Every structure is written in structure tokens, then in C-alpha cells.
Amino acid sequence: MAEVADLTGDGGVLKTVVRKAKDDAIAPTDSLPLVDVHYEGTLAENGEVFDTTHEDNSIFSFEIGQGAVIKAWDIALRTMKVGEVAKITCKPEYAYGSAGSPPEIPPNATLIFEVELVACRPRKGSSLGSVSDEKARLEELKKQRELAAATKEEEKKKREEAKAAAAARVQAKLDAKKGKGKGKGK
């Protein structure tokens, strides 16, 4: 079973990694505070989905640490890397508290989110060095993908050539058997 991390020390925000990010994946930072996520939120009490980006395949974007989302998200997203999917369990004091968020979220509700960190970005107009670093990293990833695609295409071509050669050998054997058969009856 996956390891559960207590991000707040009081059991208020628990994180379980569902899918790990690649080792070289980036994480939100002060220079990359804007995050894009896919998520599905359910009530712990009954498993009812109260919000999701999966139905319309939309992206939810926000800036970490600005109070734009519930406390649990500000805490948990800081610990994630791009590509990671995590289950985040949020006690009421790190979610909507005693007020809830009617009608979907009742008072004092524990919430469970499955969140995928899709991207981290700088603020608009940012001219930080890390932005050019990120562009360079993305360009390198693009080159790697192109190289992998070219390698895959080359392997496919070799397989097709091997199939054609095997088919030619089989046909040659069949033709040889036909030729031997013609002379026996005369």
C-alpha cells in the first residue's frame, strides 16, 4: 500500500502518492508559483463527487500561497512535482471548516481530492532566470521526444524489413517445392 504522509503533523492534510512524477520533474517554487491541476473532489463521508475537472477535461489554475484555494491545497501542492497524482485528505479545518460550502459541501466535512499537478509557471511578466531555464528544459524534453520517436520509427522500419525478408524466404521455399513437384509426374 502507498505511504501516507501527514503534511501538517496533526493529521489535517494527508497525502498519498497515486502516481509518482519523473525524478527530474519540476515543483512549484517562488519563481514558479502558478500551478495548473486536474482534480476530483469527493466527500469522505459518502464518496460523493462534489467537483471535478475530469468531466469537461478542464484545467484549474491558481497561485500557491495567495489564499485562492483551501489551506490543504496550498500545503499539499507545494510538495508535488509536475506529473504527480496524489490523493489529498483534508480535515475541515484545512478545507471549508464549520461553514462548509453549501449546497455541495456540508459543515465540518472531510474532503478527499485526487489531484494531478499538470504544470508550474511563473507569474505573467516575470523575467526570472528560472523561466529561461524552464524553456531550455522543455526544449530538451522536446528533442528527447523527437529522438525517441525517430528511434521508434527506425525500429518499426527494421521490423517491417525483417517481416518482408521472412515472407520472401517462405515464398522462395514454396516456389522451390512447386518446382520439384512439376518434374515428378512426367
Side-chain angles (χ1 to χ4, degrees):
M1 180 144 181
E3 187 179 319
V4 177
D6 182 348
L7 302 181
T8 54
D10 62 0
V13 181
L14 303 176
K15 175 184 162 190
T16 306
V17 175
V18 175
R19 184 181 75 212
K20 283 185 71 171
K22 292 183 180 174
D23 291 337
D24 64 343
I26 61 169
T29 62
D30 289 341
S31 59
L32 297 171
L34 298 176
V35 295
D36 297 336
V37 298
H38 274 298
Y39 69 91
E40 181 168 272
T42 58
L43 299 173
E45 179 182 16
N46 58 16
E48 182 180 317
V49 175
F50 61 84
D51 195 11
T52 182
T53 60
H54 296 295
E55 285 179 4
D56 60 0
N57 199 30
S58 61
I59 297 278
F60 177 66
S61 302
F62 68 96
E63 184 171 346
I64 287 184
Q66 299 300 306
V69 292
I70 59 174
K71 287 183 205 170
W73 274 37
D74 270 338
I75 293 166
L77 267 293
R78 288 180 191 275
T79 70
M80 294 178 69
K81 289 183 170 186
V82 171
E84 181 179 325
V85 177
K87 180 177 111 176
I88 301 166
T89 303
C90 319
K91 294 292 183 192
E93 54 272 23
Y94 292 95
Y96 294 98
S98 60
S101 183
E104 292 88 5
I105 302 169
N108 298 310
T110 295
L111 308 178
I112 300 172
F113 290 93
E114 185 169 284
V115 180
E116 175 184 7
L117 180 55
V118 177
C120 299
R121 299 175 284 116
R123 285 179 199 91
K124 286 194 171 152
S126 179
S127 60
L128 300 169
S130 61
V131 174
S132 58
D133 292 346
E134 175 64 3
K135 283 183 180 177
R137 190 187 73 77
L138 291 173
E139 192 61 39
E140 180 61 29
L141 284 174
K142 181 180 176 186
K143 287 178 186 175
Q144 289 174 2
R145 282 194 307 272
E146 289 170 352
L147 181 61
T151 302
K152 195 173 182 180
E153 190 62 36
E154 186 64 32
E155 289 171 356
K156 181 180 175 185
K157 186 177 175 184
K158 286 179 182 178
R159 283 193 304 273
E160 288 172 356
E161 289 172 355
K163 281 183 185 176
R169 286 192 300 275
V170 169
Q171 189 62 47
K173 286 181 183 178
L174 290 173
D175 290 346
K177 285 183 180 180
K178 283 182 185 175
K180 288 180 184 175
K182 287 181 182 176
K184 288 184 179 177
K186 293 185 178 177

